[in-house]
Amino acid sequence: MADKERNDDKSKPKKVECCNYPVSIFFIVVNEFCERFSYYGMRAVLVLYFRFFFRWDDDLATSIYHAFVALCYLTPILGAIVADSWLGKFKTIIYLSIVYAIGQIVMAVSAINDLTDADRDGTPDNMSVHVGLAMLGLFLIALGTGGIKPCVSAFGGDQFDDHQTRQRSTFFSVFYLCINGGSLLSTLITPILRGQECGIHTQQKCYPLAFGVPAALMVVSLIVFIAGSGMYIKAKPKGNIMMDVCNCIGFAINNRFRHRSSKYPKREHWLDWADEKYDKLLIAQIKMVCRVLFLYIPLPMFWTLFDQKGSRWTLQATTMDGTFGSLVLQPDQMQTVNPILILTLVPIMDRVVYPLIKKCGFNFTPLKRMTVGMFLAAMAFVSAALVQIQIDETLPVFPSASESQLKIVNMASGQMNITIPPQQTFALGSEQASDYLTFSNMNIMVSLNNPPISKNFSLTGEKRNTLIIPADPNTMYMTQDITSKPEQGSNAVRFVNGLSSEVNMSYAGNDKQFPALEYVYLPQGERIFTITNGIRSCSFSRKFGFGGAYTFLIPSTLLWTENCGNAIVEVEDIKPNTVHMALQIPQYFLITAGEVVFSVTGLEFSYSQAPSNMKAVLQAGWLFTVAVGNFIVLIVAELAKLPQQWAEYVLFASLLVAVCIIFSIMAYFYTYVDPAEIEAQFTRKDEMEPEEKEKNTIELEEKDLKQDQKEKLGKTKM
């Protein structure tokens, strides 16, 4: 009979095994690795794509990023309902993987710069087309990745027989190893692909490649999964417990509302209003789930902080120095610290830290662990705020709306005494540059002493300018400088020609000429520049860091020899990034330690406090807290508008500390239960119910008989 039921529930092909494992699981494991690589690879570069391709500001880029992540954690509920109630796990995975792959391809197409660049100037002519394609792609990706999330691991578990418990346990270990492996490799590789330059007409950061490789991996994932189709055990849909829970809760609320009058007696619990229609055991199970879900209320704030490592922290890394000796890290590669630390900290916590705490006699309950995890996440943001303060201290002070700044460069052959009222007179040697001078008066007069010359100039508020004094001071002129740090860690470079003849400038690996007095943006590393006047040429090299701006002076005394006779003068307009990315490691360590203590323990606690048939409900509730947490980031980023980024970090840390205190109070009053024991009590009660009814009937008859005898005795006495 049991075999017949099993055959009814599952579509069983001829089972092929290798080393006592179903061959079908190898397809599932490869599928999961490719899918996780695809998702995390795309997500690693997403916020930089918004920031530097769409030219959105930090707040908008952060908001859209977290809206996407939130949607990815809402759709698993839909996927579970569709799989369990309608299509089954296999078809759900197939159909939504197709949607997923299409979304990744659309995302890659949206990043093709030349798609709408008709004038070939390197900037899309119709950015709304790219934005529209990207939003469509992200919606399809969220639908796909979220929809298959609850199905793949459960589908893998279906491939094992009941007696293969050891093999099933090993499969889940390998399965989750593939998740972390895919995440680790993708966050290492896709930032490298993004850092390349590609394009048909103009060379730009290669976002199409960074999105195209994850798209290709998703297509491979789909093909691999379909290839194993003939070997899978495909369980038929049995209905979804979440629907039963929702229907029961809905009936209880509706029934309570209909009987809200005081003439109806109150019931012990509001869910007891559903006992007219639903089994008492189901109601008791839902009560246990509701107790756990009530504890979930403060949890979204943890995810509010945790998921910002892919947005705010990545943007923070773009203003830092990523040179680790001969290794250069891209800003979005710092996210790899998280999966590396997870693989390290999980066994350390389980085998060293928790046993040591227990040995010390401290009752470190799951809820206490979760409280500690929240506190660690808050401390991670305090660390991020301290790093941000250090970064802010290294940033140049740009002029306000009522101010302007001016730098003077002397290309003449001798020293100049320069007077610009109300500034004091200062001397400037040949081929030297002054620091930036700040003026509140936009109209200035510049006076030189050799020869005596005075000339008026008009400045512009919020702008920086350089006044260049050439060999003939009578022809001194002014050029505009940049007023922000170069983006994506690149370096702004320009040349001032002090020769009497025109020269062409280029650098190795790119034949692009340097426009006169205009900045050209170069990546980090050593660059070899070539100067030529059509007859002679010379070359020199410079090594650049991240985020600097430089003006190179070509003096009139230039020597056309090796290294240009060491005559090229470098003027630093904006200092490069000096705060090292390694300073982000403490905040990554704290947030990952918090994740291990909070997330792993939270799921363990939830599962231990809920009935066996309600695991899916708690999983849905847990994922919902992640979605809500990301929506909170979206709201704060758009509404708070704090002038300093470190202040926003402190705000989030303070909010989590407050929530941590509230959660610790809730945890203090929580009573741990044994769901199996409660279910057993209801089972025993149901078995004893017929006997108890018969016993109660006999007792009632005996009571009535005694009452009759008393009444007869009373009449006799009277």
Side-chain angles (χ1 to χ4, degrees):
M1 183 67 180
D3 290 339
K4 184 178 179 182
E5 289 177 358
R6 184 176 178 83
N7 290 333
D8 289 341
D9 291 341
K10 295 186 179 182
S11 174
K12 289 191 65 176
K14 185 177 180 181
K15 194 169 184 179
V16 181
E17 293 191 351
C18 177
C19 302
N20 294 325
Y21 288 89
V23 174
S24 57
I25 66 165
F26 294 102
F27 294 94
I28 297 172
V29 166
V30 174
N31 162 269
E32 182 65 12
F33 175 84
C34 294
E35 187 274 328
R36 290 290 86 185
F37 186 106
S38 176
Y39 173 72
Y40 283 109
M42 178 276 305
R43 181 172 153 177
V45 301
L46 187 60
V47 74
L48 298 185
Y49 177 60
F50 292 156
R51 178 67 184 84
F52 300 118
F53 188 88
F54 291 158
R55 315 302 301 177
W56 292 344
D57 61 28
D58 288 358
D59 290 336
L60 181 57
T62 299
S63 298
I64 301 301
Y65 172 87
H66 285 285
F68 165 71
V69 175
L71 189 59
C72 288
Y73 283 96
L74 283 177
T75 49
I77 301 173
L78 177 64
I81 293 173
V82 169
D84 292 342
S85 305
W86 181 30
L87 293 177
K89 298 183 188 73
F90 175 74
K91 288 183 179 179
T92 301
I93 295 171
I94 292 288
Y95 295 157
L96 290 181
S97 292
I98 293 172
V99 172
Y100 193 169
I102 292 172
Q104 289 281 29
I105 293 169
V106 171
M107 196 69 193
V109 171
S110 76
I112 299 175
N113 191 72
D114 300 294
L115 189 65
T116 62
D117 187 14
D119 55 8
R120 302 183 182 183
D121 64 347
T123 304
D125 299 331
N126 191 350
M127 188 62 79
S128 59
V129 172
H130 296 269
V131 173
L133 287 173
M135 295 303 104
L136 174 62
L138 289 176
F139 175 76
L140 295 177
I141 291 169
L143 193 63
T145 187
I148 67 175
K149 188 188 292 287
C151 301
V152 179
S153 59
F155 186 71
D158 289 344
Q159 308 309 305
F160 295 89
D161 291 330
D162 293 338
H163 66 278
Q164 293 180 302
T165 53
R166 182 181 62 82
Q167 289 89 342
R168 184 186 289 112
S169 177
T170 304
F171 160 74
F172 282 117
S173 298
V174 174
F175 184 85
Y176 289 110
L177 182 63
C178 286
I179 293 175
N180 284 288
S183 168
L184 177 60
L185 287 177
S186 63
T187 48
L188 274 173
I189 294 172
T190 52
I192 296 174
L193 300 178
R194 177 195 61 80
Q196 307 302 310
E197 292 192 347
C198 61
I200 301 172
H201 305 305
T202 57
Q203 297 293 303
Q204 305 287 338
K205 292 293 183 183
C206 206
Y207 289 103
L209 184 61
F211 291 135
V213 170
L217 263 292
M218 191 58 225
V219 173
V220 170
S221 171
L222 178 59
I223 293 172
V224 168
F225 187 76
I226 293 174
S229 176
M231 304 180 188
Y232 297 139
I233 296 174
K234 302 166 188 173
K236 295 179 180 179
K238 300 179 181 178
N240 191 277
I241 188 65
M242 283 189 289
M243 297 302 296
D244 295 337
V245 171
C246 292
N247 290 335
C248 180
I249 292 174
F251 181 82
I253 294 173
N254 184 50
N255 196 29
R256 177 68 184 91
F257 181 77
R258 287 190 291 106
H259 298 84
R260 61 187 181 277
S261 175
S262 58
K263 67 180 181 180
Y264 296 104
K266 292 184 177 181
R267 301 190 184 182
E268 185 178 352
H269 193 279
W270 62 271
L271 273 169
D272 292 332
W273 288 93
D275 60 5
E276 285 92 337
K277 183 177 180 181
Y278 292 91
D279 182 63
K280 289 185 177 181
L281 176 59
L282 177 64
I283 294 172
Q285 291 171 333
I286 296 175
K287 286 179 183 178
M288 287 185 277
V289 168
C290 287
R291 293 176 73 245
V292 178
L293 291 178
F294 177 72
L295 284 177
Y296 280 6
I297 293 174
L299 303 191
M301 187 52 67
F302 174 86
W303 301 113
T304 297
L305 275 68
F306 177 78
D307 278 329
Q308 288 190 64
K309 70 185 190 303
S311 57
R312 291 296 197 196
W313 288 10
T314 299
L315 292 171
Q316 184 186 63
T318 62
T319 61
M320 303 177 77
D321 180 8
T323 306
F324 289 80
S326 59
L327 178 66
V328 177
L329 281 187
Q330 297 295 325
D332 30 2
Q333 284 182 311
M334 278 302 292
Q335 298 175 58
T336 58
V337 175
N338 177 250
I340 291 172
L341 286 174
I342 285 177
L343 296 174
T344 306
L345 289 177
V346 168
I348 291 176
M349 289 290 184
D350 285 341
R351 300 188 180 185
V352 179
V353 177
Y354 294 154
L356 187 61
I357 292 174
K358 186 176 181 180
K359 198 170 184 180
C360 292
F362 184 70
N363 184 21
F364 201 34
T365 62
L367 292 179
K368 290 178 182 177
R369 295 182 196 176
M370 293 174 69
T371 305
V372 171
M374 287 183 173
F375 183 75
L376 289 173
M379 292 304 99
F381 265 62
V382 172
S383 176
L386 294 175
V387 171
Q388 189 63 47
I389 290 172
Q390 281 194 278
I391 293 171
D392 292 345
E393 289 176 351
T394 65
L395 296 177
V397 179
F398 294 110
S400 64
S402 60
E403 295 177 332
S404 184
Q405 291 178 341
L406 182 69
K407 174 186 286 187
I408 297 93
V409 173
N410 181 15
M411 297 293 289
S413 56
Q415 179 174 297
M416 289 283 181
N417 289 329
I418 304 169
T419 303
I420 311 176
Q423 303 285 345
Q424 294 181 351
T425 301
F426 60 93
L428 194 62
S430 178
E431 298 162 10
Q432 289 185 356
S434 70
D435 294 330
Y436 278 105
L437 308 174
T438 302
F439 297 91
S440 56
N441 186 358
M442 298 299 125
N443 296 309
I444 62 171
M445 176 184 288
V446 180
S447 301
L448 310 179
N449 73 322
N450 185 22
I453 298 172
S454 294
K455 195 171 182 178
N456 293 319
F457 292 94
S458 294
L459 305 177
T460 307
E462 288 188 288
K463 298 295 182 183
R464 278 183 162 190
N465 296 278
T466 295
L467 178 65
I468 298 172
I469 305 173
D472 180 6
N474 289 292
T475 60
M476 60 181 170
Y477 58 94
M478 196 164 62
T479 182
Q480 190 167 302
D481 301 352
I482 59 174
T483 52
S484 63
K485 290 277 285 184
E487 295 177 340
Q488 304 187 65
S490 60
N491 298 277
V493 177
R494 66 178 177 178
F495 286 83
V496 176
N497 181 18
L499 297 172
S500 57
S501 60
E502 290 188 3
V503 294
N504 290 326
M505 293 290 310
S506 62
Y507 66 95
N510 194 319
D511 296 330
K512 182 178 179 180
Q513 300 296 321
F514 281 76
L517 299 174
E518 290 186 18
Y519 286 103
V520 172
Y521 293 88
L522 306 178
Q524 178 273 346
E526 187 171 2
R527 296 289 174 263
I528 299 175
F529 299 95
T530 301
I531 305 173
T532 178
N533 63 359
I535 301 173
R536 293 177 294 180
S537 65
C538 68
S539 298
F540 71 98
S541 64
R542 286 290 188 275
K543 189 172 184 179
F544 297 104
F546 293 86
Y550 306 89
T551 298
F552 289 99
L553 309 181
I554 304 174
S556 57
T557 57
L558 177 70
L559 299 176
W560 302 95
T561 59
E562 183 180 356
N563 203 33
C564 295
N566 296 319
I568 304 299
V569 178
E570 177 186 306
V571 177
E572 190 176 74
D573 298 334
I574 295 177
K575 290 183 179 180
N577 302 343
T578 55
V579 180
H580 203 276
M581 278 189 197
L583 290 181
Q584 280 196 322
I585 293 177
Q587 65 200 56
Y588 272 99
F589 176 82
L590 288 168
I591 201 76
T592 306
E595 178 191 9
V596 171
V597 176
F598 175 87
S599 182
V600 177
T601 305
L603 286 171
E604 175 190 341
F605 162 77
S606 303
Y607 277 37
S608 70
Q609 295 297 292
S612 57
N613 64 334
M614 296 284 175
K615 308 297 186 187
V617 179
L618 285 179
Q619 180 70 14
W622 185 265
L623 295 175
F624 185 73
T625 65
V626 181
V628 173
N630 279 273
F631 279 126
I632 293 173
V633 183
L634 188 156
I635 294 168
V636 173
E638 287 300 315
L639 297 182
K641 299 293 184 182
L642 296 175
Q644 300 293 334
Q645 184 57 52
W646 66 264
E648 185 179 290
Y649 290 145
V650 172
L651 172 63
F652 279 118
S654 303
L655 289 174
L656 186 56
V657 169
V659 168
C660 182
I661 295 171
I662 294 171
F663 181 77
S664 63
I665 296 171
M666 295 170 65
Y668 178 79
F669 290 101
Y670 182 83
T671 304
Y672 290 84
V673 298
D674 184 357
E677 178 62 28
I678 294 175
E679 289 175 327
Q681 290 176 3
F682 274 88
T683 304
R684 288 196 299 269
K685 189 175 180 180
D686 289 342
E687 291 174 352
M688 293 173 61
E689 200 169 40
E691 296 178 4
E692 288 180 354
K693 283 183 178 179
E694 184 177 349
K695 183 179 179 182
N696 290 339
T697 303
I698 294 172
E699 289 178 352
L700 186 61
E701 290 176 351
E702 290 177 351
K703 188 176 179 181
D704 291 341
L705 181 61
K706 289 179 180 179
Q707 185 66 28
D708 291 342
Q709 291 175 347
K710 284 182 179 180
E711 289 178 356
K712 289 180 180 178
L713 182 61
K715 289 179 180 178
T716 304
K717 287 182 178 180
M718 288 176 64

